[in-house]
Amino acid sequence: MSATETLLTQILTQLESLRANQERLEAKIENTRTHGTPPLRPVTQLRERGGESPSVYPVGDGHASSPTTSVPHLSLSSSTPSAASQSLGQEKEREKALYPSRVILTTYPDQHGIKPYSLQWGAKDARARGPIICSRLMSSIKQRNAIGAHAGSYSIYRALAIAQGTLDPFHKPSYHLTEPPVPIPPQESWFDPTKIVSFDPWGHLVPQVFRSEVEDKGLDIRPSIAVTKAHIKLSEVDETARKGALTIDGKIVLKSRPLLNPDGSQSNADPGVELVVSKAAVEPVWYLPGVAERFGIPESLLRRALFEDTGGMYPELITRPDIKVFLPPIGNLTVYIFGPPEFMYDESKELTLRVHDECNGSDVFGSDICTCKPYLVFAIEECVRTAQRGGVGVCVYFRKEGRALGEVTKYLVYNLRKRGGDSADKYFKSTEQIAGVKDMRFQALMPDVLHWLGIKKIDNMISMSDMKYNAIVQSGIPILKRYDLPDYLIPPDSRVEIDAKIAAGYFTSGKKITEEDLVKTVGRAWEEADH
């Protein structure tokens, strides 16, 4: 036997010994963590119950694969491990430190040791309702009563931060001094399990109402709502104030601080105004039975659709029918309140509402192909005027980019429209040709936030959307008046959008538009503008 072969044999013998020791150690760790949890039932038993077969064996099964037991890369050119081998070994050690147990692909209701924290959606107080627990940390994993992760799509960034070593996965947040500076107190609608099904109404009070569960029991329970105060500044509102169409009252509308010149000296230019607001960021937390009922579909179908169309990302949607709460990987919503927040649930006060769905191109970058930013600014100004009359204004901003089709699809539709002749009669057909549907913004869940705020009637709704109007009214909140965007605020190129919507049945206080009229409304072609 050559020296190289002898060396290889010795290395392989040592590796086999190390692997055996490692497997024994992992078994001990797993036994300690699970307090003697026996293996889960075989997959054949699951099939006999009519359940879904997992793609790999669940944790605890003797055949489960472990990412920490693979044989390291061998270099036969030298008896000293290469730099690459050392680096790989270090990464493996870090992986083992972060995730010492076997992969937990899924769990089952009757698994030994699994005992979800009691949750009664719509209960009369927070403690009776119970906290939302979705953490997979070992301190909470057996008491989880929710599927998914906090922060929606941003949970992927958290995973990257942990993998890179910039975030300790066991970090315990300190919520000292983070409580809401303005009250959003419990409303009767919080205790009706049919009124709020798309987020946790107690989400902003978690550090206060579930303190003992966090501090005494060590459970990882996190807020899903945050409430704060701010000043907002928009150049369009500055211009409205300069024209005298918005009053500077020193309470809701403030004069901005003086501007500075490039040399640091104070400028004589008009600095414009700032608006005082209260605002809340709300993460989605879906109570699946309530969401299914809202859409008129079986809960089992909802779960299967969510599982399939997220690429099987959340297998517990199938294997854990006992867990009724899901934190979906979608964007959140933000509420902006102009005037005293307590006026929202005072029916004697005038209330103006705008429900606005995200449009990054227009809202942020001012694209003139749609009316989104003009409508949003107009609504903000109307909310301010209502507050100045002694009422309150509310703007709710949903992350539903491109009618919930996404920005990529929206831009593809733009290309088709501009190349195919951008006339209003083709507006919705262009979207359907690419996306298969003209609008995916199902508004059935939208009124939840209004019930959370305690809104019982709306004096003025700034919207053309019948879908939004119908969803709100059908949820039990009357709307006394609705009005659309004034013609003088509509950019010429977005007339295509407005006329197409009016012809399709959207609300308008102006003239009606027929299908024959739509052919005459044509947007700017690419050739007419510099690109």
Side-chain angles (χ1 to χ4, degrees), residues 41 43-53 304 318:
R41 63 190 183 282
V43 175
T44 53
Q45 293 181 20
L46 177 63
R47 290 200 186 101
E48 289 169 2
R49 288 182 50 194
E52 297 289 330
S53 298
R304 183 61 184 265
I318 305 298

Side-chain angles (χ1 to χ4, degrees), residues 444-491:
L445 302 177
M446 175 269 292
D448 288 21
V449 66
L450 308 182
H451 291 291
W452 176 63
L453 296 169
I455 294 174
K456 298 179 181 65
K457 59 92 181 159
I458 297 163
D459 295 274
N460 313 299
M461 182 176 177
I462 305 173
S463 174
M464 295 174 63
S465 171
D466 285 340
M467 289 176 65
K468 294 175 182 176
Y469 174 87
N470 292 337
I472 292 171
V473 172
Q474 289 169 9
S475 79
I477 302 175
I479 296 173
L480 306 184
K481 176 186 175 184
R482 54 196 298 212
Y483 49 107
D484 50 4
L485 185 66
D487 276 353
Y488 74 92
L489 292 176
I490 299 174

Side-chain angles (χ1 to χ4, degrees), residues 196-223:
I196 302 176
V197 299
S198 61
F199 61 87
D200 176 11
W202 298 97
H204 58 308
L205 302 174
V206 162
Q208 290 78 45
V209 296
F210 298 121
R211 180 173 296 164
S212 63
E213 285 81 356
V214 174
E215 295 181 356
D216 300 336
K217 299 181 180 180
L219 296 175
D220 186 10
I221 307 169
R222 306 198 176 203

